[in-house]
Amino acid sequence: MQGNYQPLARPVPFDDVLRQQNKTSKTTGEPLVMLSLRIPVSLKTRLKTTAAAHGLPMQQLLRDAIERELDRLDGDDEP
């Protein structure tokens, strides 16, 4: 099998796809990275249903929640 691999042609260059994902109001010009974490199924289900109820992508809701929590924790450290 080695040497037989032929990548499929992409209609859009992969870099262009990633560039489109970076064009949100909060991340314009800021590169995105993949975050992998393990969470309980019940929490993922809650995230999924809440995102659907508000018409938001799960990724956006999670990003906003992480940012709010970090801001809150940073505020707790101030004297």
Side-chain angles (χ1 to χ4, degrees), residues 12-71:
V12 177
F14 191 65
D15 289 344
D16 291 347
V17 173
L18 293 178
R19 211 171 290 116
Q20 290 172 6
Q21 293 175 4
N22 286 340
K23 291 183 181 176
T24 64
S25 60
K26 286 189 173 184
T27 61
T28 302
E30 184 178 350
L32 298 178
V33 296
M34 181 65 72
L35 176 64
S36 177
L37 66 149
R38 296 195 178 275
I39 60 173
V41 172
S42 60
L43 184 57
K44 183 188 181 237
T45 302
R46 185 177 169 196
L47 173 65
K48 189 174 185 176
T49 55
T50 302
H54 292 278
L56 297 170
M58 287 173 46
Q59 179 177 324
Q60 180 184 346
L61 182 63
L62 186 56
R63 186 184 302 153
D64 292 345
I66 290 171
E67 189 172 1
R68 273 194 305 275
E69 183 63 13
L70 290 173
D71 289 345

